């Protein structure tokens, strides 16, 4: 695959510049979205609220795939990382609201923590930009 076949988009997250990564990378038929939190710039949305953090994080991930002309129906896989098991239902509720009709493969993990202790949820999305058979 040539470098021309790979496209990257940035979202403006301060960590993208600090750590040297792209918000999303498209290569061939796949679009991969990096771990995404509810930070927009330096502002954390939904502090203390796992539902709101999941909703904002997934919305940011969907905005990234939209830059490649894709919507939620193109999402094949999601991953949710939570810092507390107690937040599973609330993060799951946000996921269902966005992806109930799509039903992507999904993984949910409880992890030790994130780079900012106020973050309760981080998500990843993988999308497909080829033809999808129903």
């Amino acid at each position: 695959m040539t470098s021309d076949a790979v496209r990257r988009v940035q979202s403006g997250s301060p960590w993208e510049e600090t750590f040297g990564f792209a918000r999303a990378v498209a290569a061939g038929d796949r679009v991969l979205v990096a771990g995404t939190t509810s930070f927009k710039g330096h502002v954390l949305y939904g502090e203390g609220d796992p539902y709101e953090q999941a909703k904002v994080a997934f919305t940011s991930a969907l905005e990234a795939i939209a830059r490649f002309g894709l919507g939620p129906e193109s999402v094949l896989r999601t991953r949710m990382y939570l810092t507390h098991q107690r937040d599973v239902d609330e993060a799951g509720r946000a996921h269902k609201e966005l992806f109930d009709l799509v039903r992507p493969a999904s993984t949910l993990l409880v992890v030790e923590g994130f780079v900012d202790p106020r973050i309760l949820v981080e998500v990843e999305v993988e999308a497909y930009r080829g033809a999808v058979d129903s």
Side-chain angles (χ1 to χ4, degrees):
M1 184 175 299
T2 67
S3 62
D4 293 340
V6 177
R7 285 185 48 218
R8 293 169 175 80
V9 298
Q10 303 297 136
S11 70
S13 162
W15 289 302
E16 290 170 7
E17 188 62 33
T18 301
F19 299 141
F21 72 93
R23 171 61 46 216
V25 177
D29 286 336
R30 297 180 68 199
V31 178
L32 308 174
V33 180
T36 304
T37 68
S38 63
F39 265 99
K40 291 191 178 268
H42 294 282
V43 177
L44 176 69
Y45 288 83
E47 187 168 349
D49 184 344
Y51 166 80
E52 188 63 26
Q53 285 195 20
K55 190 106 179 216
V56 170
F58 275 124
T59 299
S60 293
L62 290 171
E63 288 168 0
I65 69 169
R67 301 217 11 224
F68 296 103
L70 303 176
E73 70 283 351
S74 300
V75 174
L76 298 178
R77 171 184 288 282
T78 60
R79 291 182 186 90
M80 294 175 277
Y81 303 93
L82 311 174
T83 54
H84 301 285
Q85 187 173 359
R86 68 173 185 245
D87 297 337
V88 166
D89 290 340
E90 289 301 292
R93 180 167 66 97
H95 186 277
K96 182 176 174 88
E97 287 178 12
L98 294 166
F99 299 107
D100 193 31
L101 297 177
V102 179
R103 300 286 171 126
S106 187
T107 300
L108 189 146
L109 300 163
V110 177
V111 298
E112 182 70 25
F114 299 112
V115 296
D116 185 307
R118 298 172 298 162
I119 298 171
L120 303 174
V121 180
E122 185 166 329
V123 304
E124 294 178 343
V125 168
E126 295 183 28
Y128 179 72
R129 57 184 185 167
V132 177
D133 296 331
S134 20

